[in-house]
Amino acid sequence: DAGITQSPRHKVTETGTPVTLRCHQTENHRYMYWYRQDPGHGLRLIHYSYGVKDTDKGEVSDGYSVSRSKTEDFLLTLESATSSQTSVYFCAILQGSGANVLTFGAGSRLTVL
Amino acid sequence: AQSVSQHNHHVILSEAASLELGCNYSYGGTVNLFWYVQYPGQHLQLLLKYFSGDPLVKGIKGFEAEFIKSKFSFNLRKPSVQWSDTAEYFCAVNPYNNNDMRFGAGTRLTVKP
């Protein structure tokens, strides 16, 4: 286990409200990722980070922003949640130099009503 | 943009049957290839990976996958499935020297006892 903690694990919110999901790691890994998982779509990359304050967009970044002010924390923010953002969100870290293997957190289930 | 295609959405097998799950990708350069598994209620775990060398790679729990470069394929196989293999299986592609990891839509495997 790479010491990845996601919070909250479950959240129900209303359309238009802001939501922040947190991913915390304890092993000082450089690369961190946010994916969303939806039936029929598998995992889709939202944003990833390759260092403190260094982030890049994935394939479904619209409506999401991220921040990484310290190595151990990678925050995903929905500025104004919509029902289409109801999903399970997974954080992942890239383990090992050159290994390119992702290790995933337990997931955060978000429901937007 | 690169994409990953998994041909089977849902596969249903009886125990002891042989399994083959298809995966094709569209990226033309050198890639690293992965299969991840997600057991019910759990997060994704690495099943096996291919970086270079022997195109037939063996993973955990008796799974193997074959990389066929000319077909841009990385199919997952198991000679004899067990009820405990019931899970969702995801193929993933990572371009060499790039930390962008893309997943297929997943294949749900149901093994009947």
Side-chain angles (χ1 to χ4, degrees), chain B residues 34-110:
Chain B
F34 307 81
W35 277 96
Y36 285 81
V37 60
Q38 186 177 30
Y39 297 104
Q42 298 186 25
H43 56 85
L44 277 79
Q45 306 167 43
L46 181 69
L47 200 54
L48 50 79
K49 61 184 185 290
Y50 172 80
F51 289 169
S52 63
D54 188 344
L56 184 62
V57 293
K58 296 190 184 300
I60 59 172
K61 303 184 180 184
F63 285 91
E64 64 179 32
E66 184 175 14
F67 170 51
I68 303 179
K69 189 174 181 179
S70 61
K71 295 184 178 180
F72 297 89
S73 70
F74 190 56
N75 291 355
L76 181 71
R77 300 195 292 248
K78 185 171 184 179
S80 176
V81 294
Q82 300 173 313
W83 176 80
S84 58
D85 293 324
T86 293
E88 192 152 15
Y89 293 81
F90 295 92
C91 181
V93 175
N94 162 230
Y96 185 70
N97 280 341
N98 180 317
N99 291 298
D100 185 354
M101 185 85 73
R102 299 295 176 97
F103 286 78
T107 297
R108 185 156 61 101
L109 172 65
T110 301

Side-chain angles (χ1 to χ4, degrees), chain A residues 15-77:
Chain A
T15 298
T17 60
V19 175
T20 295
L21 305 180
R22 179 181 183 239
C23 179
H24 178 80
Q25 56 136 335
T26 59
E27 297 186 357
N28 209 36
H29 294 287
R30 181 181 171 193
Y31 287 87
M32 298 182 75
Y33 301 76
W34 276 108
Y35 288 88
R36 59 178 289 175
Q37 184 179 24
D38 304 288
H41 292 279
L43 276 82
R44 291 179 291 176
L45 181 64
I46 305 172
H47 283 279
Y48 67 100
S49 169
Y50 46 96
V52 173
K53 297 194 170 135
D54 291 324
T55 65
D56 207 349
K57 295 179 179 180
E59 57 190 310
V60 290
S61 59
D62 287 349
Y64 300 95
S65 62
V66 289
S67 65
R68 192 158 177 211
S69 58
K70 12 182 212 178
T71 300
E72 57 266 37
D73 288 324
F74 190 33
L75 304 181
L76 177 70
T77 297

Side-chain angles (χ1 to χ4, degrees), chain A residues 96-109:
Chain A
S97 59
N100 283 31
V101 173
L102 290 179
T103 299
F104 287 85
S108 295
R109 182 174 294 276

Side-chain angles (χ1 to χ4, degrees), chain A residues 83-101:
Chain A
S83 58
S84 65
Q85 293 176 310
T86 292
S87 186
V88 181
Y89 292 85
F90 284 98
C91 174
I93 57 96
L94 197 67
Q95 270 194 304
S97 59
N100 283 31
V101 173

